[in-house]
Amino acid sequence: MEIGGGRFTVEFDVIVVGGGLAGLVAATEATAAGKRVCLIDQEGPQNLGGQAFWSLGGLFFVDSPEQRRMRIRDSLDLARQDWQGSAGFDRPEDHWPRLWAEAYLQFAAGEKRAWLHQMGMRWFPVVGWAERGGSQAHGHGNSVPRFHVTWGTGPGVIEPFVKRAEADADKGLLTFKFRHQVDNLVSQAGRITGVSGTILADDPVLRGQKSSREAVGSFEFTAVAVIVASGGIGGNHDLVRRNWPRERLGDPPQSMVSGVPHHVDGRMIGITQASGSAVINPDRMWHYTEGLRNWDPIWPNHGIRILPGPSSFWCDANGERLPAPAMPGFDTLGTLKILRDRGSDYSWFILTKAIIKKEFALSGSEQNPDLTGKNIRLLLKRLGKEPPAPVQAFMDKGEDFVVRNSLEELVAGMNRLTGENRLDPSRIRQQIEARDREILNSFSKDAQVTAIRGARNYLGDKLMRTAKPHRLLDPAAGPLIAVRLHVLTRKTLGGIHTDLNARVLGADGEVVPGLYAVGEAAGFGGGGLHGYNALEGTFLGGCLFSGRIAGRHAAA
C-alpha cells in the first residue's frame, strides 16, 4: 500500500492503543465503517473499558429531558458561559482546546443524549448539581444541575461499546491484543505506520489490580492509522508531582491517594511525545480534596472520593475553617489551592449522623451497588434513617473516620488518629458554635449557610442530597463524625495536541500523518478542552466525543 509517498504493507486499517472508553468508541466507530481494527492494551481482557468501569457514570448534558422534568432551565448559552468561566483559556496553544470545547458543548446540547439513548443507555431521573463554583456568574462552576448519573453507573456506560466490540470481533473486523505493551510508534517516510512493543505474560489478577510486567516476547503491527487512547497520569504520582503547577497550587502534597489504577501511568503520552508529537498544558490537572483511603483496596494506594452535600464543617489540618468558595461540592481546585497555601496535606470534615446519611455519596461503581446493579429496592434505602451500606462500611472500617458523642471526645480522637496533636478543641468549638448560631439566624452572613439554603431550593437536593439545616452540636442530630480527607489524584486536563479531527499535531503545529489521540491522553480533546477547571460529567463525555471523532475520521 502506498500512502503519502511511502509504500508499506499494512496488517490493519486502524490500530487503537488503549482499551478504555475512548479506545472502545474509536475502535467501534472505525469498524462501523467497515475498517479492520486492532485494539491493543497492556492489561488483560478483564480490564476492558478501563477507568470508566470504576466511575459513577456521570454525564454532562445541556437542556436534557431529565433537567426539564426537574424544572431546571438550562441552555447552550448558559453552559457556554459556565464552561468559559471555568476553563480560563489564556495561552496561545489553547486555540484547538477552545474549538474542542465549543464543539463538545454543541454535542452535549445536541445529539449526545439521543446517540447514547438509542444504544440503550438510561439515566437516573434526579440530576446532580456538581462543582457549583460559589463565586461570580461569569466565573467557575455549574450554574444549574447537569450531572446525569447513568443507570448502571460506569459499567452501564461501557456496556454498549463492549458489546459492539465483541460483536465486531466475532465478525472478524476487530482484533484484540491484550497484554501487549506499546513501547514505540513506528514511522516510515514521515508517517506513523504502526506500533511495536513488549508482549507481557498473562496475569489473572482481578480488574483494576496491579498486574505483572514480565516480558515474554515482542511485537510489531502496521496500520494506515494509529489512535492513542492510553489515558492520563493519575496513577503515577512521580509524574503528577513533576507536572504539578507550583505557581498556581503551591508544592504538591507529600502524601496522596490514587483515584485510578496503577496502569494509568502516562507512559504512552511520553512515547507519543518522543515521536515528535506535541504535548501541551501538562500542568493542568484535576485532583480532589475529599479522598479516603479505601478500607478494601483494589489497586495500590486506592482512594475513594466523597461526593459531599454542602453541610459539613470543613477545616484544614490545624482545625481552621476553610473560607468560601472552599465549601463541600463547590470548587475543587479552589479548595486545593487554599489547602496547599496553608501547607495542609489533608483536611477534615466534621458533621453529624443526620448529615452523613443524606449527604455522603461515594464515587465509583463498586461503591454504589444500587445504581450499578439497577436495583430500585436497594436504591430506596438511601431515603432511610441509616447511612447507605457502603458509607456505613467506611464508618466502621475506614481508617479516616472518628465517631464520638461529644466534640471534645471527637477532637481527641482526631488528634490520636494523626498522632500530630494539632487540633485545639476550644478553637474548633468556637468556630462550630459561630456556624451554629447562623443556622438559627434566618438571615445569616455565613456563605456556607446561605449555600445550604440555596441548595434546598432545588427539589433534587432537598429530597436526596442536602440535610435539613441543623446545629452540628445538637445532640439530637448526633453522634458527631470527623473524616480525614486526603488529596486524591484523578484526571489529566492537558495532553497530546490535536486538531478538531483528533489528528495529532507536531511541535511545529503541523499534522503528524497517520496519528490520532483521544480521551484523557489528549486532554479529552485538543490537548485540554477543559482549560484549568472541569465542570464534572465531562470526563466520560470527552472520551465518548473524542473517540467518536477519531474513529470516524480515521476510517474516512
Side-chain angles (χ1 to χ4, degrees):
M1 179 176 290
E2 188 168 329
I3 300 177
R7 185 171 184 83
F8 61 96
T9 301
V10 296
E11 297 165 271
F12 303 99
D13 296 308
V14 179
I15 290 173
V16 178
V17 182
L21 179 60
L24 280 170
V25 175
T28 52
E29 288 295 314
T31 55
K35 301 300 181 181
R36 296 171 299 117
V37 177
C38 178
L39 193 152
I40 299 174
D41 199 291
Q42 65 182 356
E43 300 304 310
Q46 67 271 38
N47 277 288
L48 191 61
Q51 294 180 63
F53 176 90
W54 302 106
S55 75
L56 192 58
L59 292 173
F60 177 98
F61 296 135
V62 178
D63 192 27
S64 69
E66 290 78 14
Q67 287 176 301
R68 294 193 291 271
R69 282 194 289 269
M70 296 299 296
R71 300 181 181 178
I72 299 164
R73 297 183 64 180
D74 199 5
S75 69
L76 178 58
D77 285 342
L78 184 59
R80 183 183 293 115
Q81 173 181 297
D82 289 345
W83 194 290
Q84 294 297 334
S86 298
F89 294 122
D90 61 358
R91 296 172 176 173
E93 56 267 38
D94 283 332
H95 169 74
W96 288 111
R98 285 176 186 269
L99 295 179
W100 270 92
E102 177 59 28
Y104 178 71
L105 285 167
Q106 298 279 352
F107 178 61
E111 63 177 313
K112 177 182 177 183
R113 186 185 180 281
W115 177 57
L116 298 173
H117 190 276
Q118 62 89 20
M119 294 184 200
M121 279 194 214
R122 299 294 183 267
W123 297 276
F124 188 60
V126 179
V127 184
W129 195 356
E131 201 64 17
R132 307 179 190 205
S135 185
Q136 295 177 319
H138 62 273
H140 170 58
N142 284 297
S143 296
V144 297
R146 296 191 177 105
F147 192 79
H148 297 68
V149 175
T150 303
W151 193 230
T153 67
V157 174
I158 67 171
E159 181 181 17
F161 301 100
V162 170
K163 287 182 176 179
R164 286 175 64 183
E166 291 174 342
D168 289 339
D170 290 340
K171 296 173 187 174
L173 286 172
L174 180 62
T175 301
F176 289 111
K177 293 291 184 181
F178 295 110
R179 300 297 287 162
H180 282 59
Q181 178 181 272
V182 173
D183 299 323
N184 296 285
L185 294 173
V186 178
S187 63
Q188 184 175 328
R191 181 185 184 89
I192 299 301
T193 58
V195 296
S196 65
T198 304
I199 301 173
L200 304 175
D202 289 339
D203 193 336
V205 295
L206 297 178
R207 178 190 287 269
Q209 291 183 339
K210 187 174 183 178
S211 61
S212 166
R213 290 294 177 263
E214 178 189 354
V216 296
S218 61
F219 70 90
E220 181 171 333
F221 302 128
T222 56
V224 178
V226 174
I227 301 175
V228 176
S230 55
I233 68 172
N236 184 340
H237 288 197
D238 289 339
L239 199 52
V240 168
R241 290 189 175 93
R242 194 181 312 156
N243 290 290
W244 189 272
R246 286 175 166 81
E247 73 287 353
R248 294 200 313 276
L249 297 180
D251 292 335
Q254 294 182 6
S255 173
M256 298 182 285
V257 294
S258 290
V260 295
H262 79 289
H263 57 257
V264 186
D265 55 14
R267 281 185 74 255
M268 198 64 210
I269 297 175
I271 290 167
T272 305
Q273 188 173 26
S275 74
S277 304
V279 172
I280 61 172
N281 303 316
D283 61 323
R284 293 179 182 171
M285 51 185 68
W286 192 255
H287 306 307
Y288 293 108
T289 51
E290 311 100 327
L292 304 173
R293 291 195 182 278
N294 195 346
W295 64 270
D296 187 20
I298 297 170
W299 53 80
N301 197 25
H302 187 178
I304 295 292
R305 187 206 171 195
I306 297 170
L307 302 173
S311 302
S312 296
F313 174 91
W314 201 348
C315 64
D316 63 24
N318 291 317
E320 293 297 316
R321 190 181 182 191
L322 302 186
M327 301 178 291
F330 278 76
D331 188 340
T332 293
L333 292 191
T335 303
L336 181 57
K337 175 174 171 49
I338 290 170
L339 290 173
R340 299 315 306 140
D341 286 347
R342 295 185 179 189
S344 286
D345 276 13
Y346 61 90
S347 60
W348 293 97
F349 277 169
I350 296 177
L351 61 153
T352 64
K353 181 180 178 182
I355 292 173
I356 201 169
K357 72 179 183 182
K358 194 163 188 179
E359 296 196 8
F360 264 39
L362 300 173
S363 182
S365 55
E366 81 283 11
Q367 299 297 330
N368 295 273
D370 48 359
L371 292 167
T372 302
K374 305 179 183 180
N375 188 322
I376 295 176
R377 183 177 179 182
L378 188 59
L379 180 66
L380 290 174
K381 290 187 176 181
R382 291 188 184 231
L383 302 176
K385 295 182 179 180
E386 299 298 326
V391 174
Q392 186 65 55
F394 268 89
M395 290 175 64
D396 296 339
K397 303 174 185 179
E399 66 177 68
D400 296 310
F401 282 76
V402 180
V403 182
R404 299 289 189 274
N405 289 319
S406 75
L407 183 61
E408 283 66 29
E409 291 173 323
L410 187 78
V411 175
M414 295 160 72
N415 279 326
R416 279 194 296 273
L417 177 61
T418 64
E420 296 176 350
N421 203 36
R422 298 168 72 168
L423 303 174
D424 178 357
S426 62
R427 174 59 180 157
I428 292 179
R429 175 173 285 278
Q430 178 188 35
Q431 295 174 90
I432 291 179
E433 286 180 342
R435 179 257 188 210
D436 282 358
R437 290 188 192 99
E438 296 294 301
I439 287 289
L440 299 176
N441 174 4
S442 60
F443 297 93
S444 184
K445 66 180 180 182
D446 189 283
Q448 185 181 12
V449 173
T450 300
I452 293 168
R453 291 170 179 161
R456 287 177 63 83
N457 286 331
Y458 168 46
L459 181 61
D461 274 355
K462 186 174 183 178
L463 290 174
M464 300 196 66
R465 291 289 289 142
T466 307
K468 184 178 180 180
H470 62 274
R471 294 182 299 114
L472 293 179
L473 298 182
D474 181 355
L480 286 167
I481 302 163
V483 187
R484 180 177 56 180
L485 307 172
H486 307 268
V487 174
L488 178 142
T489 62
R490 184 60 67 88
K491 295 298 179 185
T492 309
L493 298 189
I496 301 167
H497 202 186
T498 67
D499 69 6
L500 207 48
N501 290 319
R503 298 180 300 179
V504 172
L505 304 175
D508 59 0
E510 298 298 317
V511 170
V512 178
L515 187 60
Y516 297 78
V518 297
E520 195 175 351
F524 301 94
L529 63 77
H530 295 95
Y532 289 97
N533 290 282
L535 290 178
E536 297 289 24
T538 57
F539 301 132
L540 295 178
C543 291
L544 292 164
F545 186 52
S546 60
R548 190 172 90 145
I549 287 174
R552 292 180 178 184
H553 195 271

